[in-house]
Amino acid sequence: MQVSVPAVSPSARLPLIDAARGITVAAMVIYHFCWDLRYFGYIASDVEGALPWRIFAHATAGAFLFIVGIGLVLSTRNGFDRRRFLRRLGVLVAASAAITIATYFIFPDSYIFFGVLHHIAVASVLGLAFLRTPILIVIGAAIACFFAPLLASPAFDTPALLWLGLAPVFPRTNDFVPLFPWFGVVLAGIAATRLWLLYGPRDLPILHASVPRPILWTGRQSLLIYLLHQPILFGAVYLATLVAPPPPIEFAPWFSNMCGAQCAESELDSDECQQICDCVGPKAEAAGLSAPLFLGQLTDDQNQEYSALIGQCEAASPPP
């Protein structure tokens, strides 16, 4: 069944959707800029590991994917334009391949093989199957996606299957948005939009609200900005290091704070955990692991050495 939205032509763009996409793009740029600042040593904040930053990153990725679901429904509400869809898909696939190739040469140990853009390309294809499926099935599929990681198994720990997100160990990569559970967010966007088209108000004033032009432009150029912003930011921060090098960051205090924050998120006794942190820090620095730990780029061998140091400190820690 096809459902049309009064006062909105098939080719029209809704300012509200463009605004939401523009705000999400801005959040992504902020996150990546802070990641760059940390990578080059201008800030000590654990952008990758700290809980507030993880929430921020996941919320940004989730917003992107929810909007993908909305867009799939709205762009096909009055019929499926195969040529337009394939053209967009081709751009997404080419852009995803470019990101993988570029990051492979820049970060060979943590290159992006299935980031948010890869996910959007795959989800755009898979999502087509849910545009006419009964909504209850769409909602059930979304819930199944959210719980799918509970089925993680070593059987999925192979390069060909890592993109599913069902391996028990998180792969080393700078951006990972696996099919599960994240496809559930796309399905949630599809279900929510279809429910609105069926039962919601047909012509909400907010859909046509005036939005500042910069936000609209950002939302409409989201793919271009996604592809260009990080090379520009990364290059700019690198050039800044040549003019005004970042001040040296003392590893011991940084590690103690970072490790202590992780203790607060764990089930371990905070005092005992902090004792282990204070033990591991000096040992890691003496072993030459301070730089890769700060950058979050431990190799497999270094990760084993780091784990061994943690084991030594745990064994030496007095019982509670």
Side-chain angles (χ1 to χ4, degrees), residues 117-202:
L117 209 59
H118 302 72
H119 188 110
I120 291 175
V122 173
S124 296
V125 176
L126 297 180
L128 295 178
F130 295 90
L131 297 179
R132 299 293 181 267
T133 303
I135 294 179
L136 286 179
I137 294 180
V138 180
I139 295 174
I143 294 173
C145 288
F146 293 137
F147 284 97
L150 296 177
L151 303 177
S153 166
F156 296 98
D157 194 11
T158 63
L161 298 178
L162 286 177
W163 64 280
L164 293 174
L166 298 178
V169 180
F170 195 89
R172 296 187 69 248
T173 174
N174 286 332
D175 183 25
F176 188 47
V177 186
L179 187 66
F180 303 111
W182 289 101
F183 185 54
V185 182
V186 178
L187 292 178
I190 291 175
T193 308
R194 289 182 58 191
L195 285 171
W196 171 69
L197 290 176
L198 287 172
Y199 306 112
R202 288 290 191 261

Side-chain angles (χ1 to χ4, degrees), residues 199-274:
Y199 306 112
R202 288 290 191 261
D203 196 20
L204 292 174
I206 192 174
L207 295 176
H208 310 284
S210 177
V211 178
R213 288 182 179 273
I215 296 178
L216 283 179
W217 183 88
T218 301
R220 292 169 180 172
Q221 304 298 327
S222 57
L223 180 59
L224 179 64
I225 295 173
Y226 184 92
L227 292 174
L228 296 181
H229 81 283
Q230 185 62 323
I232 293 173
L233 291 176
F234 193 86
V237 178
Y238 169 73
L239 291 177
T241 65
L242 303 180
V243 178
I249 296 177
E250 295 184 16
F251 175 76
W254 170 83
F255 182 85
S256 180
N257 291 334
M258 181 273 294
C259 189
Q262 293 180 352
C263 288
E265 300 172 24
S266 69
E267 298 179 355
L268 295 176
D269 176 79
S270 58
D271 291 336
E272 179 186 2
C273 188
Q274 189 63 56

